[in-house]
Amino acid sequence: MELSVRETWTVLHGLILGTLFLLAFGGGLAGLWSLRPELVTPEGIRERMGRLVAGTWIMAVTAWLTVFSGTFIVYPWYRAKTPDSPRSLLLANESTKLWHEFGMEWKEHVAWIAPILATAVAYVIWYYGRRLAHEDRVRKVAMVLYSLAFVAAGVAGVFGAFLNKMAPTR
């Protein structure tokens, strides 16, 4: 089994970084959901905050790395103005044209929402710290933003996987 440089970057972008982001979401959401005084002792809240702050910042950085690697490394190969580029191959066939016109265009723009929202949530958690356990409304807004970041990353990831299946970047 051998991967080209482009395939390796595609794997790093979509499989490794994207998967890390999506998996980290579960831990972060569970941490936010259970960060309530009626569920956790003050000692437990103090113990969790360090992990929650570190985890959400790592997740935000991972989201930025995923989007930057996609936008500035993988997409130029996808969009190359050659007849054998993935974009050209998709647009050349009526049955696959919509994959580019809808899937790629949508993926390319929606993907940026994930790191922006993940960074906002990491900042809120860092800013409020232990007080977040007592700020129910802020905690719930953070969970909604966190979930929207997950949905945006998930949609971009699914489109990326299908697009790479239809016209691989080699």
Side-chain angles (χ1 to χ4, degrees):
M1 186 171 103
E2 192 172 311
L3 293 175
S4 69
V5 170
R6 292 179 180 191
E7 290 167 333
T8 302
W9 273 105
T10 302
V11 167
L12 178 67
H13 161 74
L15 194 62
I16 296 172
L17 292 173
T19 300
L20 183 63
F21 173 84
L22 295 175
L23 290 175
F25 169 79
L29 187 64
L32 274 171
W33 183 83
S34 65
L35 192 66
R36 295 184 280 178
E38 66 269 20
L39 296 178
V40 183
T41 63
E43 186 70 26
I45 291 172
R46 189 162 43 89
E47 184 271 329
R48 280 182 188 200
M49 284 313 299
R51 192 175 48 230
L52 194 57
V53 168
T56 51
W57 277 114
I58 289 170
M59 186 173 158
V61 168
T62 302
W64 283 112
L65 290 174
T66 304
V67 169
F68 282 138
S69 66
T71 301
F72 300 111
I73 298 172
V74 177
Y75 292 169
W77 294 325
Y78 171 87
R79 292 187 175 277
K81 296 190 183 300
T82 59
D84 62 342
S85 73
R87 177 184 180 271
S88 299
L89 294 173
L90 291 174
L91 289 174
N93 187 336
E94 279 300 318
S95 68
T96 59
K97 198 174 186 176
L98 192 59
W99 279 104
H100 171 75
E101 291 177 348
F102 179 75
M104 187 60 186
E105 295 295 338
W106 209 76
K107 168 189 169 34
E108 203 171 4
H109 296 94
V110 168
W112 283 89
I113 294 171
I116 292 169
L117 293 178
T119 302
V121 171
Y123 178 79
V124 165
I125 292 170
W126 171 80
Y127 180 80
Y128 278 90
R130 285 184 262 167
R131 290 179 299 144
L132 189 59
H134 304 283
E135 298 282 347
D136 197 46
R137 187 179 299 171
V138 175
R139 190 180 55 79
K140 286 179 179 174
V141 169
M143 288 186 345
V144 168
L145 294 177
Y146 206 61
S147 298
L148 290 173
F150 174 79
V151 169
V155 168
V158 167
F159 272 121
F162 282 121
L163 283 160
N164 201 43
K165 182 75 177 164
M166 297 295 293
T169 303
R170 294 196 169 131

